[in-house]
Amino acid sequence: MNAFPSEAERRASEACELPAFGGLSLAQTRRDLGELLGKIGGFGFFDEYTKHDITHIDAMLGKLDWLVTPKTREAMTPADWLLAVLAVYFHDLGMLVTKSEYERREESDFPQFRQEALTASDSDGRDYLARLDVLSPEEREKFLYQEFVRHHHAARVRKWITGDCSPNLGATETVVTEIQDLLRQVEPVFRADLAKVCESHHLDDLYDVKKYPIERYYGSSQRERANVQFAAILLRSADLLHITRDRTPSVAFRVFNPMDPISQNEWAKQGAVRAVVAMKGLDKDGAPCEDAPQDTVAVHARFTVENGFFGLTSYLKYAEEQLRLSHTWAQRSNAKEGSKYFFPWRAVDTSNVEAEGFLTEPFQFTIDHQKVLDLLTGHTLYNDTNVVLRELLQNSIDAVRLQHGARSPELGRVEVHWDSAGRTLEIRDNGTGMTQSVIENNLLRAGSSRYQDPEFRKQNPDFNPISRFGIGVLSTFMVADQVEIITCHPEEEKARQLSLRSVHGQYLVRTLDKNQDVPEQIRPHGTIVRLTLRPSAELKSVTDTARYFVVLPACKVTIQENDGAEQEVGYSSVGEALRGSIARSNPASARDIEQGKLRIVERSIENMSIAYALQWNEHFREWMFQRAAESSAAGVCVAGIRVESETPGFRGVGPFVALANTFGDGSPRTNVARSALEPTPERDGFIRACYVAYCDHVSEEIELLQSERGHSITWATQEAAFIAGPLMRRGQAVSLSMLREELRRVPLFLIEEGGARRSVSMDDLRALPEIETLESAVTDNVESLLRELPGVTSESVFRLSGVQPKEGITFLCTRLGKFAEIDEMFLEDWEVGRAHGDIENRMCSVRWVRRGEEPRWVDTRLVRNLLEVFDRGSEGYSNPSEVVLIPSQSVVEDGFSRSMRGFIVGNKKYLLCGHPWQEMVDDILAAQTEDSNDRLSLLCWLISHRIHSAEARPGPRRPMSVAELEEYVRREGLARLVDWKKFAAISRSEESAVEFFDIRKWQRHGGR
């Protein structure tokens, strides 16, 4: 009777008769190794994890009978077989832990391993640590040492075979001595290769043919030659595929994504895997054929508990990847080295992996590639774990709205339950529920939304869902590894229960009896989603989170945390939502609402509604926008769910408190993460509607100041700028151009014609051919008087001031220079066409004309950019507060003295023709080069600095000298745009001193 149970051992025993291996008794080695392997599991180590005894060895050797194809058997030598068999014998010996070794564990690298395990900062490490906390200190220490050994067991056996007794991987001198006795007659090179092959089953470097030679001679004959790489491939594959009943493979724990550290072999304990065999090859028609090439391994198993199924399918995915790699490595070596060691196995068939009590087919997430790519390009999907609750809530609300329609507020219900002790989050709804078709085609098909399906849209043309992208369920895996869904649909005989464990894994669907196994709350239709959160997941207050996101649910939404009372969230209108949020967040505001000092205005425009808060100003008797704070209730909702927390139409916290909701087909699209509106025409329409609502308030308040509160038209119009002020904060509007377009219809300006005055908008001014302004102390004081006269609408500034008005001229009473934003709006349309100085009467009148294609004054857009750059990069130097404008055409002017080469209107300084740098301007205009505008703008900026230098007062920041200006211009690469010698010469001359006509020169302040 042959002493060896496997064909591999019988072929390997032939090598023992060769000179290179003379004296080695394979049978004795097997017996001695059997005794050592039998000790694995003693002393409390690996006693529950798996079997590594001689039965594991025999099972692996048995797999070599079909892993090695007949064609490869012809190429393999006795040395090949001996190397492969001994590697199978020894490869798991590193799992052996003696009592003495454990007692001396502090001499090894274990303390460092333990420290790293207990201080892991990533989420996987935190989860692992949290699961270790359920063990006692003694159990945890033993378990961690077991993990240390398992992690290094392949390296341990490599050390032992080579005779290395160093204790870094465990103090095991006795075991090393025994192994050396077993292999003392083996040729040293063969022993070194055996050590490398044993270690290789936990490495991913089998592609390295220098480390694992394709052709290694241990003696002079061909029979003493071996393919080291192929022996390593056989060892890895046989070990991977021994997964039947009594054993799980020793692969690093994170490959499995286990439920907890002491259940990594849970699926194996069930004895579920019956067989792992070679699958018959298929002929050209796809039918099994004995003579067809084989490349697939078939797994036969049956499960009754889902955890076992999840563990196995996760592992088989990993095993298939490893088989495919081994196939590639063997193919590459055959092609390059001309060897004939074929390894055809590259696939795992799981069609015979069954689950009792579940649908026979496992389901998994699939990708609608085109949609997902379109959705995800340029976006961060989720960056806040609290959006998980939002995603689940909006899915439930959609289902409720679809089921109950107009009666959703009355019949629809969504319930949220949070158990902080068990770390379970449950959302229940009495919505439509899901059919098997919806589960397969939408829920588990990322990027495919049920509500965007053409057939659904055809059947439900008026339904406008919150959810649009079909990826909400993916968010659950941000916080949970375990997700359970129970859903009940009226059209299906049975309810469905889904068990989800990983976004990359497969899932099982169990059928349930609706009357016995389904909670009453979701019968005959509805869904329950239950998440078990990972220990590392952080979820803020569930009630506060729900209250923040769920603003207008159109159904009843309740939250219950632990054993606390249910709290309802959500409102029926944006006005109620804003009022409730303000009152809840600020007691003082709540009192103001009760006392009528703060009110909420709600407006509806097409497919949006908006509410904003107004604060009563007792002194000026007007309603002002309530300033926003960090805790503001402002925001933008789409279909009732909050998307942004900014004031609608503005960035950041926003200038005031407002809340808007947009809905229907024309509502803006959100990004995939639903954290912002996408820049689309629909968003632009929504933003514009917000600006319209705000500007309507300003216009109405101007009218009410006159008609109901008895103020003069002068008072009312001057107050318009203050009421609209929050709208015009620089840098906060999402679209400054759209905001200005809407502000252009607000009566922000006051004009006088034929002795009567009226308030007008920028659009009204545009209809006029020209306008005149008059700056003087007299007219300023008369304006102050007219402002204070109650109800006055027709009194004339000219009649009261004694100034003779010009016939047919519209006089602009609004004083420029008070509000920069209003000045900018005005100067976009108008420019100075004529200036007249009246020194005797201390007046300056300006005729304003509409801007044409050829402006009369240098375009200052580049100048503004230069000022901004200068402010950021010129520490210690002061910048002109205003740009000095220089004429690019002849401007009519009179009444100024010869020394006055400029005038001031509002806060703007204007140079007159003939100013000191006029020759430089003329040279640039005459040249007419492509960069003429840039040259004029830079010259304008430089002139502004020189005039600023002459007027600047002492302070911590000083103006630049001419030399410093030159250095700065050269450093910024602008020197080519200016004739610097000419500019410097003029600037240093006495002629550069410019006097401006300014009515403020005749006004004294502070006794001066």
Side-chain angles (χ1 to χ4, degrees):
M1 180 177 178
N2 198 306
F4 301 110
S6 69
E7 177 67 19
E9 289 172 299
R10 289 191 286 274
R11 288 178 177 266
S13 64
E14 298 175 14
C16 296
E17 300 173 5
L18 300 174
F21 314 105
L24 176 68
S25 170
L26 190 62
Q28 184 63 44
T29 303
R30 176 186 167 87
R31 285 192 295 270
D32 293 343
L33 255 298
E35 291 183 13
L36 285 173
L37 291 170
K39 296 177 181 179
I40 297 177
F43 312 112
F45 291 97
F46 305 106
D47 52 343
E48 293 183 357
Y49 175 69
T50 187
K51 290 183 178 180
H52 296 84
D53 59 13
I54 201 67
T55 61
H56 171 44
I57 303 304
D58 288 341
M60 287 180 62
L61 292 172
K63 291 204 170 18
L64 295 184
D65 289 345
W66 54 267
L67 282 174
V68 180
T69 63
K71 190 174 182 180
T72 303
R73 281 198 189 94
E74 297 175 5
M76 288 182 66
T77 68
D80 282 319
W81 287 105
L82 182 62
L83 183 58
V85 168
L86 289 178
V88 171
Y89 281 178
F90 282 92
H91 79 285
D92 272 343
L93 190 58
M95 306 286 276
L96 176 61
V97 181
T98 66
K99 181 178 181 181
S100 173
E101 175 188 342
Y102 181 65
E103 290 174 347
R104 298 172 58 190
R105 60 189 179 278
E106 298 299 319
E107 299 176 23
S108 67
D109 293 339
F110 171 65
Q112 180 181 351
F113 177 89
R114 177 178 56 205
Q115 176 68 17
E116 292 173 354
L118 296 178
T119 57
S121 59
D122 65 323
S123 60
D124 285 341
R126 293 195 299 273
D127 292 340
Y128 187 63
L129 180 60
R131 289 158 186 157
L132 283 174
D133 285 341
V134 302
L135 304 176
S136 68
E138 182 179 353
E139 289 173 328
R140 179 166 50 189
E141 181 77 355
K142 289 193 72 172
F143 178 80
L144 285 173
Y145 194 75
Q146 177 176 287
E147 291 293 282
F148 170 72
V149 170
R150 185 158 61 87
H151 183 72
H152 293 295
H153 82 275
R156 280 160 60 95
V157 76
R158 186 254 306 157
K159 284 167 55 74
W160 298 349
I161 290 174
T162 58
D164 185 347
C165 293
S166 58
N168 63 306
L169 299 183
T172 53
E173 295 88 344
T174 303
V175 178
V176 174
T177 301
E178 290 190 40
I179 292 176
Q180 292 302 303
D181 286 344
L182 288 174
L183 298 174
R184 63 181 178 276
Q185 291 137 331
V186 176
E187 203 279 330
V189 176
F190 179 83
R191 187 187 305 173
D193 284 344
L194 174 62
K196 287 189 290 186
V197 172
C198 286
E199 184 182 28
S200 71
H201 79 289
H202 263 222
L203 301 176
D204 291 315
D205 61 352
L206 272 64
Y207 58 85
D208 186 354
V209 294
K210 290 185 178 180
K211 181 177 180 180
Y212 309 103
I214 303 302
E215 194 172 68
R216 173 81 86 182
Y217 281 87
Y218 304 110
S220 59
S221 71
Q222 286 290 323
R223 290 165 61 82
E224 296 169 298
R225 170 187 53 80
N227 183 331
V228 181
Q229 182 194 50
F230 193 71
I233 288 174
L234 290 178
L235 173 65
R236 172 186 291 260
S237 303
D239 191 46
L240 280 169
L241 297 174
H242 184 200
I243 52 177
T244 50
R245 295 189 183 276
D246 60 338
R247 185 187 181 274
T248 60
S250 51
V251 179
F253 75 93
R254 290 193 185 185
V255 170
F256 293 104
N257 191 19
M259 290 297 294
D260 58 68
I262 58 176
S263 65
Q264 296 167 28
N265 62 330
E266 185 171 358
W267 55 269
K269 287 181 182 178
Q270 299 176 52
V273 181
R274 304 188 302 277
V276 178
V277 297
M279 189 175 179
K280 290 181 179 180
L282 304 178
D283 61 19
K284 62 180 181 180
D285 298 321
C289 177
E290 294 287 349
D291 299 325
Q294 296 173 288
D295 64 359
T296 302
V297 176
V299 178
H300 296 257
R302 187 174 184 82
F303 291 92
T304 57
V305 179
E306 57 263 34
N307 280 344
F309 173 84
F310 295 136
L312 178 63
T313 54
S314 176
Y315 175 74
L316 290 180
K317 182 178 179 182
Y318 165 78
E320 185 174 55
E321 292 172 356
Q322 295 301 306
L323 286 177
R324 193 176 295 115
L325 281 174
S326 293
H327 171 79
T328 300
W329 294 330
Q331 290 282 86
R332 189 180 302 156
S333 295
N334 288 338
K336 288 186 177 181
E337 307 296 335
S339 60
K340 298 180 180 180
Y341 292 73
F342 299 100
F343 187 83
W345 314 105
R346 53 182 172 177
V348 175
D349 177 75
T350 60
S351 60
N352 291 298
V353 177
E354 303 167 340
E356 183 178 336
F358 299 88
L359 297 185
T360 56
E361 180 185 359
F363 303 95
Q364 66 185 64
F365 277 113
T366 57
I367 299 294
D368 189 325
H369 294 280
Q370 182 175 351
K371 289 182 180 179
V372 169
L373 288 175
D374 289 341
L375 293 172
L376 300 185
T377 300
H379 296 295
T380 299
L381 183 55
Y382 294 115
N383 54 18
D384 180 0
T385 55
N386 291 286
V387 302
V388 175
L389 181 59
R390 181 200 67 198
E391 292 292 335
L392 296 176
L393 279 170
Q394 67 189 29
N395 286 348
S396 290
I397 293 170
D398 271 340
V400 166
R401 289 172 172 173
L402 180 62
Q403 177 65 38
H404 300 288
R407 300 192 68 187
S408 292
E410 174 190 351
L411 301 177
R413 186 171 179 83
V414 178
E415 301 173 357
V416 179
H417 299 272
W418 166 242
D419 177 7
S420 59
R423 295 186 62 75
T424 58
L425 178 67
E426 183 175 288
I427 294 89
R428 299 187 179 194
D429 68 69
N430 65 346
T432 59
M434 291 180 283
T435 63
Q436 183 63 29
S437 175
V438 170
I439 292 171
E440 293 180 36
N441 297 325
N442 302 118
L443 179 71
L444 300 181
R445 187 173 175 82
S448 177
S449 171
R450 171 192 185 187
Y451 304 118
Q452 303 306 316
D453 181 78
E455 187 61 29
F456 178 90
R457 301 293 294 172
K458 183 179 179 181
Q459 296 175 2
N460 304 274
D462 298 325
F463 183 69
N464 293 293
I466 307 168
S467 306
R468 300 177 60 176
F469 301 113
I471 56 176
V473 73
L474 295 179
S475 68
T476 61
F477 295 107
M478 296 171 60
V479 298
D481 289 327
Q482 182 174 338
V483 182
E484 303 290 338
I485 300 175
I486 299 175
T487 188
C488 190
H489 195 281
E491 295 178 4
E492 302 214 327
E493 180 182 353
K494 290 184 176 293
R496 298 289 193 270
Q497 178 180 355
L498 289 80
S499 299
L500 310 164
R501 291 296 184 275
S502 166
V503 72
H504 300 296
Q506 293 183 315
Y507 313 114
L508 294 176
V509 178
R510 185 192 296 273
T511 56
L512 303 176
D513 185 289
K514 287 185 176 180
N515 295 320
Q516 296 182 9
D517 302 327
V518 176
E520 182 180 355
Q521 294 95 322
I522 64 168
R523 294 201 307 259
H525 46 74
T527 299
I528 299 174
V529 180
R530 184 183 299 112
L531 283 65
T532 301
L533 273 64
R534 292 192 299 269
S536 62
E538 296 181 6
L539 197 63
K540 298 175 183 176
S541 168
V542 173
T543 303
D544 290 345
T545 301
R547 184 174 283 124
Y548 172 80
F549 284 120
V550 179
V551 180
L552 304 171
C555 65
K556 187 173 183 179
V557 178
T558 60
I559 314 295
Q560 183 181 31
E561 298 194 45
N562 301 315
D563 296 327
E566 281 190 348
Q567 296 190 53
E568 187 170 352
V569 300
Y571 299 87
S572 60
S573 71
V574 288
E576 287 184 10
L578 186 60
R579 183 180 294 104
S581 298
I582 291 175
R584 187 175 58 253
S585 63
N586 190 331
S589 296
R591 288 193 299 271
D592 285 347
I593 292 175
E594 292 177 2
Q595 297 170 5
K597 297 178 181 179
L598 191 153
R599 66 187 178 99
I600 307 299
V601 173
E602 184 173 347
R603 297 178 184 271
S604 294
I605 303 174
E606 296 181 350
N607 65 331
M608 67 88 75
S609 56
I610 187 169
Y612 46 82
L614 300 175
Q615 188 80 45
W616 178 251
N617 188 314
E618 192 68 41
H619 296 289
F620 290 90
R621 299 176 63 219
E622 59 196 23
W623 289 100
M624 309 285 288
F625 290 108
Q626 187 194 35
R627 301 285 181 175
E630 291 295 334
S631 59
S632 169
V636 173
C637 303
V638 176
I641 303 298
R642 192 187 304 266
V643 173
E644 297 177 347
S645 57
E646 293 85 2
T647 299
F650 294 88
R651 298 184 180 90
V653 175
F656 52 88
V657 183
L659 178 68
N661 180 49
T662 174
F663 47 86
D665 288 335
S667 63
R669 295 194 297 270
T670 70
N671 61 12
V672 180
R674 290 185 64 84
S675 60
L677 301 180
E678 288 280 72
T680 62
E682 291 81 6
R683 186 203 69 157
D684 292 345
F686 166 73
I687 296 298
R688 184 179 294 279
C690 294
Y691 295 153
V692 168
Y694 304 146
C695 290
D696 282 349
H697 166 67
V698 179
S699 298
E700 291 173 7
E701 194 66 9
I702 295 170
E703 172 61 28
L704 290 172
L705 284 171
Q706 301 173 66
S707 62
E708 294 187 5
R709 298 174 202 148
H711 289 296
S712 67
I713 189 173
T714 305
W715 176 293
T717 309
Q718 288 182 3
E719 283 303 301
F722 292 97
I723 299 170
L727 299 177
M728 298 185 287
R729 285 191 179 177
R730 291 180 179 271
Q732 285 198 311
V734 171
S735 174
L736 181 59
S737 61
M738 280 197 291
L739 176 58
R740 282 189 171 172
E741 285 177 17
E742 296 308 317
L743 283 170
R744 291 181 67 90
R745 63 181 182 81
V746 176
L748 298 171
F749 299 90
L750 186 65
I751 62 173
E752 185 171 310
E753 294 173 310
R757 49 181 47 204
R758 61 188 175 96
S759 56
V760 296
S761 66
M762 276 296 301
D763 286 344
D764 295 330
L765 288 178
R766 180 176 285 181
L768 301 173
E770 55 185 20
I771 305 171
E772 187 160 319
T773 59
L774 178 63
E775 295 203 3
S776 73
V778 173
T779 53
D780 282 353
N781 288 323
V782 170
E783 285 293 334
S784 297
L785 175 62
L786 291 175
R787 169 184 167 87
E788 298 299 329
L789 294 177
V792 172
T793 59
S794 60
E795 191 58 81
S796 168
V797 67
F798 293 102
R799 189 159 44 248
L800 293 177
S801 63
V803 178
Q804 185 64 37
K806 299 178 178 63
E807 290 292 333
I809 296 297
T810 300
F811 180 71
L812 180 65
C813 303
T814 299
R815 177 68 182 270
L816 299 176
K818 287 188 175 182
F819 297 95
E821 293 80 4
I822 291 179
D823 285 1
E824 286 183 14
M825 289 175 58
F826 179 78
L827 295 175
E828 284 178 357
D829 285 359
W830 300 90
E831 62 180 357
V832 174
R834 176 183 180 277
H836 170 72
D838 185 344
I839 299 175
E840 181 179 354
N841 292 303
R842 302 180 295 284
M843 293 183 181
C844 180
S845 63
V846 172
R847 182 74 54 84
W848 298 89
V849 296
R850 295 288 305 280
R851 276 182 175 271
E853 293 184 1
E854 297 294 331
R856 291 172 169 79
W857 302 85
V858 170
D859 187 347
T860 60
R861 283 175 293 184
L862 175 62
V863 182
R864 294 193 191 101
N865 294 336
L866 288 170
L867 289 174
E868 291 176 4
V869 172
F870 185 86
D871 273 342
R872 291 195 300 268
S874 299
E875 186 175 349
Y877 295 104
S878 58
N879 211 4
S881 58
E882 288 290 340
V883 178
V884 177
L885 300 179
I886 57 178
S888 55
Q889 294 184 31
S890 177
V891 177
V892 178
E893 49 92 5
D894 59 23
F896 301 106
S897 67
R898 296 187 60 182
S899 63
M900 292 178 179
R901 301 316 309 149
F903 60 94
I904 296 176
V905 175
N907 289 328
K908 295 287 185 182
K909 292 184 175 71
Y910 293 82
L911 287 178
L912 295 170
C913 294
H915 60 81
W917 295 273
Q918 185 66 58
E919 185 179 346
M920 294 186 69
V921 174
D922 294 341
D923 290 344
I924 294 172
L925 292 173
Q928 292 186 341
T929 59
E930 290 184 358
D931 58 2
S932 291
N933 288 334
D934 290 343
R935 290 177 181 274
L936 286 170
S937 289
L938 179 58
L939 179 59
C940 186
W941 183 74
L942 293 170
I943 292 171
S944 300
H945 264 279
R946 293 311 303 142
I947 292 174
H948 169 64
S949 177
E951 298 175 344
R953 295 179 180 179
R957 292 165 61 95
R958 64 177 180 80
M960 278 189 172
S961 65
V962 174
E964 289 168 333
L965 273 176
E966 180 180 10
E967 180 183 353
Y968 180 80
V969 168
R970 295 188 185 282
R971 187 169 69 245
E972 295 296 321
L974 301 173
R976 62 180 179 80
L977 297 176
V978 65
D979 184 340
W980 189 260
K981 288 185 178 180
K982 183 174 289 189
F983 175 79
I986 296 172
S987 298
R988 291 190 176 105
S989 68
E990 294 182 358
E991 295 178 359
S992 65
V994 176
E995 181 184 355
F996 289 90
F997 182 91
D998 183 3
I999 65 167
R1000 290 170 296 186
K1001 290 183 177 180
W1002 289 278
Q1003 297 173 2
R1004 295 186 181 276
H1005 301 282
R1008 292 179 294 176

